[in-house]
Amino acid sequence: MRAAHRAAVAAFAAVGVAAAVAAGSAAQRRGPLECKVTIVGGGIGGAYTAWRLAVDARVVRPADICLFEASTRFGGRIFTVQDVPGYPGFATDIGAYRFHRTEHPLIRSLVEDRLKMETACYTDPTAALPMNVAECPEDNKIWATTRTKSFVGNLETLGGWKLPAWTPAVPFQFTDAEKWGTTAARTERRTLPSVFAGPNSMLPELSTRWAALTDANTTYEKAMAVADEALAALAVGKYKGVPYAEVSVIQMARDAGMSAEELAMEVGTSFGGPQMFNMNVLGLTTELVRSLATHHMALPARGPAKAMAVPVAGVGAARKRSGMASIVTRMLKEADTAGVRIYTGHRAISVRRVGECDGYGADEAVPGKPLAVEFANGAKVITRRLFLNVGKTDLLALGSASEPIKSASADVRRRVEGQQVIGGSKMYCYWPKAWWLTDLGFSRGSGHGEQPAVHDTCYHDGPVQCTDPKNFTTCKGGLLVSYEFGDPTGVASGLYAANHADAPYTPLSATSAKTVMVKASLSPRHSLAWKAIVDGIRASHSGLYGRKNATGPIPEPDVCVGGSWYDVSMHWPRPVPRLSATLSTRLFSKPVPDLNIHLVNEAWGETVGWAEGSLLMAERALGVHMRVAPPKWLDALFYKAVITNFNAGKAAPAPVARI
Ligand SMILES: Cc1cc2nc3c(=O)[nH]c(=O)nc-3n(C[C@H](O)[C@H](O)[C@H](O)COP(=O)(O)OP(=O)(O)OC[C@H]3O[C@@H](n4cnc5c(N)ncnc54)[C@H](O)[C@@H]3O)c2cc1C
Ligand SMILES: *[C@@H]1O[C@H](CO)[C@@H](O)[C@H](O)[C@H]1NC(C)=O
Ligand SMILES: *[C@@H]1O[C@H](CO)[C@@H](O)[C@H](O)[C@H]1NC(C)=O
Ligand SMILES: *[C@@H]1O[C@H](CO)[C@@H](O)[C@H](O)[C@H]1NC(C)=O
């Protein structure tokens, strides 16, 4: 871990960050630094803010911008491991790993149109597909094991499993009404999404507009207008007199007639279920409605389909995934070259107002009350505008005596508390022979195991390199063996993250989210994890062997690399009784009216769990509160609806005061 940190610093020494760290210690000796714009956090939201101000829009002198990162690595929850022992250059994303080309227009335009980075279909394990494909390979759940029973799809076509006919093998106890619902045609099992989405949505605001939003022949402009209408209606919509923002998904699902057993099946066969049950209905639907509309957006001719994409580089057999961190690195390099002052090893520990008695009076040139940010290493900065690129855990670690919590209204405070922090973990293992490709023919799709100690094995996810991409016997590399969000059973999920990670990843300790386990040198703690992984991967695949030519046992891997994001993985909004009807994104964008503090993180946006959410919050702070012109490379209609209007729809509340 330490070595990797040194490697990260070394990589950034090339862009001047090492020099900046030295400047930081100099600052401690000479008194506070002065930065007109201060960014705390070097995740994608912080990097984007610095890059937009200094490089893209060029509205602030680069030397007036300071970015402080607590750790020695940039990227936060975007963490591309490049130095897996024995597999150098096999870029492995142990945090975020992909974006959607129409559901995430801001990051797509940034990466493809502005930064001109190449992307490929996420569902292609070898990144060998041509760039212009009508479809990316389908990402089906090809098997699921729950309550000791396996559901298996078509293993030859890698088609997903369906339940058109119920068999006694299904280990859930359902009445007929529970199997198909009471109103829908008896062809589809009732699911949590079917309660909220689709023409039979329980929400009239959606059911009445579903056809218009999903009409294959509609235009992007029309669909966006319908989405605006739907979002305005949802924002004031109520369920039995209670605003949607204050009602949980599970409350409405149970009222829709879903039984505990049906909900258990959702948990047993899908991803992230139980935590989603505790989202509020407005939070669940806002993201959905807008993404239905942006699906109709025209994309550049070059590039993969309207699907999940990953950054790639190289041509022919050398073409490979470059990792999500390549996006962050690129922006930080450009910001650094322009002259932005970038510091690592600076963890902010307090933010407070400073005034006349501290010697900082009003500054005509830079409106806004001055703020002092103090760091754990003793450094201090005086600033007039502060972007906090931190999630809930790190915001709370600043303490209630620190801004913005200190001066925030009760309404803001309860919205902050209302964000639930979801745990998450990933485990990648590496083999000299990609057995899932050769022995099972699984080049895509995933398997969902509840009982074995591996949770969501994903066959197209992992850095695979092939001498001949058409001949899988020439492939070696990594497989996403286990992927987990939330804690559905308390058995599978907790295993790798909480129990086997080298250290907790918390604001209180300088630790990494990465754990590396090498077969040849396993510590006792790693041996526990190793056995669980090997047993789990074998057990979860044993039922597939009779159906495929492979006989097993699956060989042990050489090395496994895990990402443990236990208390910081992503944030979903819970239903809390609000003290005003203002959208949470508006409050978070400027939580204290007289302070130029902006929350810029996935934690505070409506696109929960995606980097897009962090970028949207950054762009709102820039565009709405600093009046930075919209990015020239971003669709204007999208900008107006989602940035200027905060995705509130046509009946957007009064504009935010501009300070
Ligand atoms: C396992 C996993 C998979 C995911 N998959 C995807 C995906 O495929 N696609 C996608 O778009 N999103 C995905 N996400 C979500 C995505 O990672 C986040 O939305 C995004 O990276 C958040 O970026 P951010 O800049 O808002 O915050 P962060 O990445 O959390 O960055 C915050 C930064 O601030 C620093 N910091 C914190 N406190 C302080 C302090 N006091 N002082 C100084 N610095 C501080 C941190 O060290 C960190 O670098 C995934 C997340 C996880 C955990
Ligand atoms: C879209 O338009 C085409 C051609 O006019 C028509 O054949 C098709 O049925 C339409 N599809 C829908 C969903 O309306
Ligand atoms: C695939 O690669 C293997 C190993 O290099 C080789 O033995 C085999 O002949 C190749 N098969 C084809 C069809 O090219
Ligand atoms: C599996 O075995 C059958 C029968 O031996 C054979 O016909 C088929 O080609 C094999 N399939 C693969 C993918 O090797």
Side-chain angles (χ1 to χ4, degrees):
M1 234 166 21
R2 297 284 163 219
H5 277 174
R6 275 198 301 277
V9 174
F12 271 86
V15 298
V17 171
V21 176
S25 32
Q28 290 164 42
R29 288 195 299 273
R30 288 200 303 265
L33 287 170
E34 295 215 24
C35 303
K36 285 186 177 154
V37 172
T38 295
I39 301 162
V40 167
I44 194 168
Y48 178 82
T49 303
W51 173 85
R52 272 278 285 149
L53 287 170
V55 179
D56 189 54
R58 298 190 189 205
V59 288
V60 176
R61 220 167 55 92
D64 288 338
I65 305 170
C66 300
L67 184 150
F68 299 95
E69 165 56 42
S71 71
T72 48
R73 176 184 66 81
F74 298 98
R77 286 172 280 159
I78 293 176
F79 190 165
T80 306
V81 179
Q82 295 279 8
D83 57 354
V84 176
Y87 295 82
F90 282 64
T92 305
D93 277 316
I94 62 170
Y97 51 108
R98 58 187 185 161
F99 62 84
H100 195 283
R101 294 189 82 232
T102 57
E103 291 169 14
H104 306 141
L106 180 49
I107 192 167
R108 189 208 66 75
S109 313
L110 168 71
V111 171
E112 298 181 358
D113 302 340
R114 176 62 175 82
L115 300 176
K116 306 277 184 212
M117 295 171 73
E118 281 200 76
T119 57
C121 290
Y122 162 63
T123 45
D124 173 21
T126 63
L129 283 179
M131 291 298 289
N132 316 328
V133 286
E135 293 297 335
C136 291
E138 271 186 70
D139 184 1
N140 293 316
K141 185 137 289 166
I142 52 183
W143 59 267
T145 301
T146 180
R147 294 184 177 178
T148 74
K149 296 280 173 69
S150 290
F151 309 88
V152 180
N154 186 327
L155 300 180
E156 299 310 319
T157 61
L158 303 185
W161 53 268
K162 295 209 167 62
L163 293 174
W166 291 82
T167 75
V170 174
F172 294 86
Q173 313 270 323
F174 291 151
T175 65
D176 275 1
E178 287 172 343
K179 286 174 186 169
W180 292 285
T182 46
T183 52
R186 294 193 162 199
T187 51
E188 291 269 339
R189 176 171 65 89
R190 187 163 55 179
T191 62
L192 196 58
S194 73
V195 170
F196 293 95
N200 298 320
S201 167
M202 211 181 164
L203 308 173
E205 295 83 356
L206 276 186
S207 62
T208 54
R209 295 182 180 90
W210 195 263
L213 281 167
T214 56
D215 177 358
N217 288 340
T218 192
T219 62
Y220 168 58
E221 288 74 13
K222 277 191 202 156
M224 287 290 273
V226 176
D228 277 346
E229 248 179 58
L231 289 174
L234 286 164
V236 295
K238 289 182 176 168
Y239 175 66
K240 298 188 175 173
V242 184
Y244 289 140
E246 303 177 18
V247 179
S248 68
V249 164
I250 187 140
Q251 169 81 51
M252 286 189 73
R254 291 300 296 266
D255 288 3
M258 285 192 84
S259 64
E261 193 72 346
E262 281 179 282
L263 292 167
M265 176 131 173
E266 291 285 280
V267 173
T269 57
S270 66
F271 191 72
Q275 302 279 1
M276 191 181 284
F277 294 172
N278 295 322
M279 267 180 100
N280 74 56
V281 169
L282 184 65
L284 181 81
T285 51
T286 301
E287 201 179 345
L288 167 71
V289 167
R290 186 58 71 189
S291 68
L292 289 173
T294 55
H295 177 76
H296 302 283
M297 190 179 238
L299 290 180
R302 187 172 160 73
K306 291 186 173 179
M308 291 293 178
V310 292
V312 294
V315 291
R319 187 171 187 76
K320 61 185 184 93
R321 298 181 179 200
S322 38
M324 282 288 275
S326 60
I327 304 166
V328 181
T329 306
R330 175 69 184 276
M331 289 190 289
L332 280 177
K333 265 189 185 153
E334 292 187 11
D336 182 70
T337 304
V340 172
R341 291 140 74 191
I342 301 174
Y343 303 82
T344 55
H346 280 62
R347 176 173 291 283
I349 52 169
S350 99
V351 177
R352 48 185 195 90
R353 294 167 189 259
V354 284
E356 302 288 349
C357 48
D358 303 282
Y360 301 101
D363 181 340
E364 289 296 306
V366 195
K369 299 238 166 75
L371 292 161
V373 184
E374 282 182 53
F375 298 88
N377 64 3
K380 185 173 171 181
V381 61
I382 303 296
T383 193
R384 308 251 162 194
R385 194 175 291 273
L386 177 63
F387 293 86
L388 284 177
N389 171 222
V390 303
K392 178 177 173 180
T393 309
D394 287 299
L395 184 71
L396 295 189
L398 291 176
S400 54
S402 180
E403 300 296 353
I405 297 297
K406 185 178 184 209
S407 304
S409 66
D411 198 19
V412 169
R413 287 172 173 225
R414 64 170 60 188
R415 307 294 179 99
V416 169
E417 294 289 24
Q419 299 300 94
Q420 55 175 338
V421 186
I422 315 295
S425 71
K426 283 168 112 184
M427 181 64 69
Y428 286 91
C429 296
Y430 306 76
W431 283 266
K433 184 181 130 186
W435 56 267
W436 57 99
L437 295 173
T438 52
D439 296 0
L440 296 176
F442 288 177
S443 59
R444 60 185 159 86
S446 61
H448 180 90
E450 275 283 279
Q451 277 82 22
V454 296
H455 199 261
D456 267 85
T457 306
C458 188
Y459 302 101
H460 51 261
D461 195 325
V464 169
Q465 292 178 27
C466 314
T467 321
D468 173 5
K470 291 195 174 63
N471 181 350
F472 285 156
T473 59
T474 68
C475 303
K476 65 184 273 195
L479 172 70
L480 178 54
V481 161
S482 185
Y483 189 15
E484 171 54 29
F485 278 107
D487 196 15
T489 62
V491 178
S493 63
L495 197 64
Y496 301 122
N499 300 354
H500 294 308
D502 277 342
Y505 179 65
T506 76
L508 306 183
S509 45
T511 49
S512 170
K514 181 174 76 167
T515 295
V516 178
M517 296 180 283
V518 180
K519 187 187 173 198
S521 56
L522 294 171
S523 66
R525 184 173 180 78
H526 288 175
S527 295
L528 285 180
W530 193 268
K531 183 167 178 355
I533 294 165
V534 173
D535 289 353
I537 197 85
R538 285 178 180 162
S540 59
H541 287 80
S542 65
L544 304 172
Y545 276 113
R547 304 169 208 248
K548 301 293 283 184
N549 287 356
T551 53
I554 293 170
E556 288 195 32
D558 294 340
V559 50
C560 296
V561 176
S564 167
W565 307 94
Y566 224 65
D567 295 322
V568 293
S569 124
M570 53 178 66
H571 305 71
W572 289 356
R574 274 186 296 229
V576 286
R578 303 159 305 162
L579 300 178
S580 77
T582 310
L583 288 177
S584 293
T585 46
R586 279 182 187 267
L587 295 177
F588 294 149
S589 191
K590 195 170 192 294
V592 181
D594 74 334
L595 293 180
N596 287 330
I597 298 182
H598 312 289
L599 298 182
V600 169
N601 190 284
E602 171 270 340
W604 318 112
E606 74 280 43
T607 313
V608 295
W610 296 99
E612 178 83 353
S614 182
L615 300 187
L616 293 179
M617 289 308 286
E619 200 50 55
R620 285 164 181 158
L622 297 171
V624 176
H625 295 293
M626 278 185 88
R627 300 198 213 188
V628 176
K632 292 190 186 72
W633 36 268
L634 184 63
D635 179 82
L637 185 55
F638 177 78
Y639 183 91
K640 181 162 182 277
V642 177
I643 307 293
T644 314
N645 292 341
F646 282 81
N647 233 351
K650 276 189 186 137
V656 179
R658 294 180 178 180
I659 297 173

